[in-house]
Amino acid sequence: MFHIVLVAPEIPHNAGAAGRLALATGARLHLVKPLGFSLEDKHVRRTGLDYWQDVDLKVWENFEDLKQEADPAAKFWFLSTKATRAHWDVPFTDGDYLVFGCETKGLPEAMVYGAGEQAIRIPMAPGGTRSLNLSTAIAITLYEAVRQDRTW
């Protein structure tokens, strides 16, 4: 199973969409506080549709707690527009964590730069947009990981 990690997500629609992606791919969704919304928010439930109650969801007080509970063999991939390595150049394996930052700021720079080769980005055309919608970025990265893993 792959893991989707949202660090300090702000927009309930994106969490709902991430939940649907997790369910569609057999992934687990991790939300790291602070959350910019309540999990009872109608927008989370609306975007997650009637699937939300079936999402494999874990909520964490902080990122360090999540890392301590993770399998030591698991890799954490940190998605950022500041990274230089393309997501399609990464050897994803079952059990990996795909870590995304909040919608307005992304991941903290210390987290991205501290990740070394495990900081990755989704390439975009020069002169185009500066970033993608969070749920779009999750879908692109998660399905590349699933494509490589090919367990189903």
Side-chain angles (χ1 to χ4, degrees):
M1 143 188 348
F2 287 100
H3 300 267
I4 303 165
V5 180
L6 305 185
V7 177
E10 300 167 325
I11 301 173
H13 296 83
N14 287 325
R20 288 180 72 182
L21 285 165
L23 195 57
T25 57
R28 175 173 291 154
L29 175 61
H30 301 265
L31 302 179
V32 179
K33 292 181 179 180
L35 307 181
F37 51 87
S38 164
L39 290 176
E40 300 305 313
D41 188 299
K42 66 180 180 180
H43 298 295
V44 173
R45 291 192 316 269
R46 183 181 307 142
T47 307
L49 294 175
D50 55 345
Y51 307 117
W52 188 248
Q53 71 275 359
D54 298 323
V55 172
D56 186 355
L57 173 67
K58 291 202 69 160
V59 179
W60 300 91
E61 290 298 318
N62 57 62
F63 187 72
E64 292 73 30
D65 287 352
L66 183 156
K67 282 202 76 161
Q68 286 179 356
E69 291 292 320
D71 180 342
K75 287 188 180 173
F76 282 75
W77 300 102
F78 298 85
L79 278 287
S80 173
T81 57
K82 296 172 181 74
T84 57
R85 188 176 185 191
H87 75 292
W88 53 55
D89 292 333
V90 167
F92 293 111
T93 56
D94 187 38
D96 285 357
Y97 289 74
L98 310 175
V99 184
F100 299 85
C102 71
E103 293 87 345
T104 57
K105 296 179 240 170
L107 289 170
E109 284 190 13
M111 191 179 275
V112 175
Y113 296 129
E117 287 293 308
Q118 288 176 235
I120 59 175
R121 65 190 287 275
I122 299 167
M124 293 180 276
T129 184
R130 70 179 186 280
S131 65
L132 297 170
N133 173 275
L134 178 59
S135 58
T136 300
I138 294 166
I140 290 168
T141 310
L142 180 60
Y143 271 95
E144 173 60 17
V146 168
R147 183 195 67 78
Q148 289 182 21
D149 189 52
R150 300 174 202 238
T151 57
W152 44 268

